[in-house]
Amino acid sequence: MTPIRIGHLYGNLLNTYGDNGNLLMLQYGLKKRGLDFTVEVNSLEESFKANQYDLIFFGGGQDFEQKVVSDHIQTKKDELEKYIESNGVLLAICGGYQLLGEYYLSAKGDRIEGTHLLNLYTLNQVNSRFVGDVEIFSDEFNETYYGYENHNGRTFIKDPVKPLGRVIKGYGNNNEDKTEGARYKNVFCSYFHGPLLVRNPHLVDRIIDKVLEQRNQSTEQGTKLKQIIDPTSV
């Protein structure tokens, strides 16, 4: 098997709260399975194609850096949409989560445009943040996840986007609807820092399983296409 290609989207700009630990956990999980991988930062200087990566990590940062990314990511939007809609696996934390949506309001109330790739939006709070330990339950996977949140944003998700989990303890997306994070196709989003995957190694396995499923499906589709073009080739 060729190495699994991991892309760290704007990794030189969005890397606060130690969330790069999620990348380390993904690498650890891949090594445990004996799987080779490559990791590269895809930022302001790099182009982006939908078939470039098998797994993308999109972290969070301060408002200034997120505004820079908000402006630039529009140049990658079309290919990123192709990646998501073709079931590419993506993990987004905090600011990356917000930027996949329609827009978010900064702490100062400025509107920062997202990519409009997920059906969600984020409002701000005045002189307040959601901070503390969180526990959620995923009905999709029948699993409990633990984390730590520290965010000003109040995110509201809409169909077809579903929550990553139901809030058992803590604030979650907005402290109103008892949701935390978001799930759409093979996209996983969360406000969990800590980092998320360090405290939830079972979620590491789920994400890697999704990557391998996609790799297998792509191989099968490629084989079928090759047979159609040249029936004698297989």
Side-chain angles (χ1 to χ4, degrees), residues 5-211:
R5 303 160 299 170
I6 303 175
H8 190 180
L9 204 55
Y10 298 100
N12 58 332
L13 296 172
L14 304 181
N15 52 20
T16 57
Y17 299 115
D19 286 320
N20 287 359
N22 290 305
L23 277 177
L24 296 177
M25 280 299 293
L26 288 167
Q27 293 174 56
Y28 175 72
L30 291 167
K31 287 178 181 178
K32 280 181 62 179
R33 298 194 187 196
L35 297 170
D36 292 330
F37 58 87
T38 62
V39 182
E40 68 177 27
V41 172
N42 189 293
S43 191
L44 303 177
E45 302 298 325
E46 291 78 28
S47 60
F48 178 87
K49 293 295 182 182
N51 62 355
Q52 194 168 342
Y53 302 110
D54 302 298
L55 172 60
I56 292 174
F57 176 64
F58 194 9
Q62 303 300 319
D63 282 343
F64 175 80
E65 285 80 7
Q66 288 186 192
K67 179 62 171 65
V68 172
V69 172
S70 167
D71 293 337
H72 190 270
I73 199 172
Q74 308 307 326
T75 66
K76 305 180 192 285
K77 175 181 173 179
D78 290 345
E79 290 295 316
L80 189 56
E81 181 176 21
K82 291 178 186 177
Y83 178 84
I84 290 173
E85 293 301 325
S86 62
N87 290 311
V89 184
L90 190 155
L91 172 63
I93 302 294
C94 201
Y97 171 17
Q98 295 170 350
L99 285 168
L100 290 177
E102 299 168 8
Y103 67 90
Y104 78 90
L105 299 183
S106 71
K108 295 181 179 179
D110 298 326
R111 177 177 169 127
I112 310 297
E113 284 299 318
T115 56
H116 295 253
L117 298 180
L118 297 186
N119 202 13
L120 59 91
Y121 64 94
T122 302
L123 306 179
N124 64 341
Q125 302 181 71
V126 179
N127 298 321
S128 183
R129 298 182 70 85
F130 294 142
V131 180
D133 290 318
V134 196
E135 176 184 342
I136 66 173
F137 183 79
S138 167
D139 292 306
E140 178 184 7
F141 299 127
N142 194 32
E143 293 176 340
T144 298
Y145 304 133
Y146 301 94
Y148 184 86
E149 60 187 339
N150 182 355
H151 56 102
N152 174 266
R154 294 178 292 131
T155 295
F156 297 86
I157 61 177
K158 300 175 287 183
D159 287 338
V161 176
K162 304 298 181 184
L164 177 63
R166 293 184 285 109
V167 174
I168 307 300
K169 172 187 175 182
Y171 299 102
N173 283 331
N174 51 54
N175 198 34
E176 295 180 26
D177 58 18
K178 295 298 181 181
T179 66
E180 204 293 312
R183 283 278 291 119
Y184 175 72
K185 291 184 177 286
N186 280 335
V187 176
F188 296 76
C189 300
S190 179
Y191 274 116
F192 281 15
H193 297 294
L196 168 68
L197 298 184
V198 172
R199 298 185 67 177
N200 302 283
H202 46 305
L203 186 54
V204 177
D205 291 329
R206 290 237 170 247
I207 291 174
I208 293 175
D209 286 343
K210 293 291 185 183
V211 172

